[in-house]
Amino acid sequence: GDPLHQRLTELMQEKQEDWHSQWVVELIRIAKPGKYIIIEDVGWPGCSDMADWAGVDTEWWHTAVDTYGWNVYPESIQIVEKAWYGDRYNVRMQKKKLHNAPYTDQALDEQSRKWFEEFDGWKVGGRRPRNHHAEEEEDDDEEEEEWDE
């Protein structure tokens, strides 16, 4: 391809990554130590889908921790490619605890992954049960669930 076009595309993506990093830095800043940050519906790089707003590749999140000096545990980064929109993905990461305490929440991450898989299993034809949060309210009369369109 045209070297000028290729270089301009690289520069565009670098700017997009810098913008995403500034956004993440602010999310990290306002999060309490040890809490999770969730970023939903992230778009893919502009060069891969010109009809969409430009985003970042899923691998970028792992390298961005060092590149931009984010105060998160790199091993806590999780990419969930099952976002509400099929052409997007979600990201979850944990802000470091006070005094740079080591990352100790691997078991919690595994449990949350299991919960997501269970939640994902509730989908039927792209729909989720309208009352999926009502598990605590047990009725003796088992009624059929209503489904959102």
Side-chain angles (χ1 to χ4, degrees), residues 8-49:
L8 288 173
T9 303
E10 290 169 3
L11 288 171
M12 179 192 76
Q13 189 58 39
E14 287 174 17
K15 292 292 183 190
Q16 189 64 23
E17 291 169 359
D18 289 346
W19 183 88
H20 269 75
S21 179
Q22 289 174 353
W23 176 39
V24 172
V25 164
E26 287 303 308
L27 294 174
I28 294 168
R29 184 185 64 78
I30 64 174
K32 293 180 180 178
K35 298 301 178 183
Y36 281 88
I37 298 153
I38 299 172
I39 303 161
E40 296 181 322
D41 295 320
V42 180
W44 295 92
C47 59
S48 65
D49 186 357

Side-chain angles (χ1 to χ4, degrees), residues 2 11 13 18 31 37 45 50 53 57 69 74-76 78 82 92 94 103-104 131 136 139-140 143 146:
D2 179 14
L11 288 171
Q13 189 58 39
D18 289 346
I37 298 153
M50 297 304 283
W53 68 66
D57 192 82
E75 55 271 54
S76 73
Q78 294 180 4
K82 295 177 182 177
R92 187 179 89 149
Q94 185 182 20
Y103 179 67
T104 58
N131 60 346
E136 300 90 29
D139 255 40
D140 292 330
E143 298 177 13
E146 295 181 42

Side-chain angles (χ1 to χ4, degrees), residues 43-149:
W44 295 92
C47 59
S48 65
D49 186 357
M50 297 304 283
D52 192 12
W53 68 66
V56 294
D57 192 82
T58 55
E59 290 303 311
W60 174 80
W61 297 93
H62 298 281
T63 61
V65 173
D66 290 329
T67 303
Y68 297 99
W70 295 345
N71 188 29
V72 300
Y73 295 111
E75 55 271 54
S76 73
I77 295 177
Q78 294 180 4
I79 306 294
V80 179
E81 293 192 27
K82 295 177 182 177
W84 284 106
Y85 301 101
D87 59 343
R88 307 235 186 283
Y89 64 91
N90 300 331
V91 182
R92 187 179 89 149
M93 64 186 80
Q94 185 182 20
K95 182 174 180 174
K96 287 185 178 177
K97 298 174 184 173
L98 294 176
H99 310 295
N100 278 331
Y103 179 67
T104 58
D105 292 336
Q106 187 66 34
L108 180 62
D109 284 348
E110 290 302 319
Q111 181 62 45
S112 68
R113 199 173 276 122
K114 180 180 177 242
W115 287 336
F116 176 79
E117 288 168 2
E118 289 172 3
F119 178 76
D120 193 50
W122 288 344
K123 290 193 302 188
V124 175
R127 300 177 297 170
R128 298 181 188 277
R130 188 176 298 156
N131 60 346
H132 67 269
H133 293 293
E135 289 178 10
E136 300 90 29
E137 301 171 16
E138 292 185 21
D139 255 40
D140 292 330
D141 305 320
E142 291 197 11
E143 298 177 13
E144 247 180 70
E145 286 186 302
E146 295 181 42
W147 295 87
D148 288 334
E149 290 299 321

